[in-house]
Amino acid sequence: MAEKIVWINGREQNQLSVFDRGLAYGHGVFETILFRSRKLQLLDLHLQRLEQGLQCLGIEYSLELIQEELERLILNHPALPNGIVKIIITAGDSERGYAWPQPMQSTRILIWSQYDDAQAAQLKQQGAHLLLSSVRLAHQPLLAGIKHLNRLEQILIRREVEQHQCDEALVLDSNEHVIEANSANIFMVHQGQISTPQLHLCGVAGVMRRYLLETFLPFLDFYAEEKIISLSELYQADEVFLTNSIWGVVAAVRLKRANNEAISWSSGSITQKIQQALLRQEV
C-alpha cells in the first residue's frame, strides 16, 4: 500500500493546474478526517463545515458528488488501513486577477495518507506542553469558523512551536483573548465549569469541538459555555484540554510564556473522564 493515495476530480492522479485558484489565492477549503476501522469519523460534521466554507467563499460544489467519490476511494482500496483522509475543494481554474466567472468548475481533491498515532498516544499519556505564541490572529468575522486554505498565520505559529520544542501553541487574537491552539481548539475547566472561546471573530470551529459541545458533553452530563476568555482566566483554570478530530482530547499541562516562566495545570478528573469516554466510543 502506498503512503498516499491522491484523487483529483474523481480520478487517481496527482497533477493540478497552475491556474487553480487554490494555488494562486488560497481560494478553497479543506477537511482532515480520521479514517479508522474503514469508517470516516464524524463525517457528517466534517461535510457540514465543508459546505459552510464553500458557501462562504462562493465556490460551486456538489456534496453528493464529494460523498460518492469518498465512497469510491474507500471501495477501490479494500485493504486501506487506518489513516487520514483530507478533502480539498478549490474554486478551480481562472484567469489572472481576483475576480472569477460564474458558474465555474471547482476542483475536488481527496488524499488518503498513512498516520502514525504515536504522537497522539504520547500526548494523551503525558499531556501537551504549550507555547504562548507571539502571533496574534487577525479579526475577520466573514471567515471566522471555516477551514479555508489560507493558513499563513498557522505556519508562522508552528515555526515558533518548533523553535521552542513544544507540542502546541496557545494563540490569542488582537484583543489578547484566548482563541485556540495552533491545530486544535481549547477548553478550560474552572470550579467544575467547562468553557471554550467564542469564535465569532477568528479561529477555526473544530469538528471535535462541535461534537463535544452539542452531543458528547451533554451525554456525560456536563455543560460547556462558549465565552470570551482572557489569558488571566486561563491561568487560573483547574484543567485545560485541547481537541481536534485526529487526537480527540489531550490535556494541556504546561504553558511556556515569552519570559520563560511557565504555568502548569493538572490532567484533572474531568479531562480524564471525557478523554476515556471518547476513547471507548466509535464516532
Side-chain angles (χ1 to χ4, degrees), residues 18-156:
V18 296
F19 300 107
D20 191 275
R21 293 181 65 85
L23 173 64
Y25 307 115
H27 190 177
V29 293
F30 72 102
E31 294 289 328
T32 306
I33 308 174
L34 182 63
F35 180 71
R36 186 174 61 203
S37 302
R38 294 196 58 78
K39 180 182 177 183
L40 291 165
Q41 305 293 302
L42 297 174
L43 177 60
D44 288 346
L45 295 183
H46 279 288
L47 291 177
Q48 288 173 25
R49 185 176 61 180
L50 183 75
E51 185 170 32
Q52 178 190 0
L54 291 168
Q55 291 175 350
C56 174
L57 297 181
I59 297 174
E60 296 290 324
Y61 69 96
S62 166
L63 212 57
E64 292 77 13
L65 180 58
I66 295 168
Q67 289 179 282
E68 186 266 333
E69 290 177 353
L70 283 169
E71 291 170 2
R72 282 202 293 121
L73 171 64
I74 295 170
L75 289 173
N76 284 12
H77 298 88
L80 199 65
N82 293 346
I84 292 175
V85 173
K86 186 170 186 178
I87 306 172
I88 304 173
I89 310 294
T90 79
D93 290 5
S94 73
E95 299 299 326
R96 185 179 63 84
Y98 293 134
W100 73 103
Q102 293 290 338
M104 65 183 298
Q105 182 64 51
S106 59
T107 301
R108 306 177 308 281
I109 304 168
L110 304 179
I111 305 170
W112 171 89
S113 57
Q114 292 182 348
Y115 172 61
D116 182 0
D117 62 359
Q119 181 195 21
Q122 183 178 0
L123 287 175
K124 288 175 182 177
Q125 182 179 12
Q126 300 179 0
H129 288 205
L130 311 184
L131 170 74
L132 180 56
S133 176
S134 66
V135 179
R136 298 294 182 261
L137 296 181
H139 288 177
Q140 178 43 271
L142 292 177
L143 300 177
I146 69 171
K147 205 162 186 181
H148 54 76
L149 290 176
N150 189 331
R151 298 286 104 194
L152 293 179
E153 290 174 323
Q154 287 69 35
I155 289 170
L156 296 176

Side-chain angles (χ1 to χ4, degrees), residues 217-237:
L217 293 180
F219 170 74
L220 297 177
D221 292 324
F222 290 131
Y223 169 74
E225 178 186 13
E226 295 179 79
K227 68 172 193 173
I228 295 173
I229 298 176
S230 68
L231 199 51
S232 61
E233 285 180 278
L234 193 74
Y235 288 163
Q236 296 167 17

Side-chain angles (χ1 to χ4, degrees), residues 198-260:
Q198 289 182 350
L199 301 177
H200 60 294
L201 296 176
C202 57
V204 174
V207 161
M208 182 58 68
R209 173 185 184 271
R210 179 180 173 188
Y211 178 65
L212 290 185
L213 287 172
E214 296 182 0
T215 303
F216 200 67
L217 293 180
F219 170 74
L220 297 177
D221 292 324
F222 290 131
Y223 169 74
E225 178 186 13
E226 295 179 79
K227 68 172 193 173
I228 295 173
I229 298 176
S230 68
L231 199 51
S232 61
E233 285 180 278
L234 193 74
Y235 288 163
Q236 296 167 17
D238 302 313
E239 306 173 36
V240 175
F241 61 89
L242 309 178
T243 67
N244 70 25
S245 59
I246 305 302
W247 302 340
V249 171
V250 169
V253 296
R254 188 173 185 271
L255 173 65
K256 181 180 179 182
R257 298 189 289 185
N259 55 10
N260 286 324

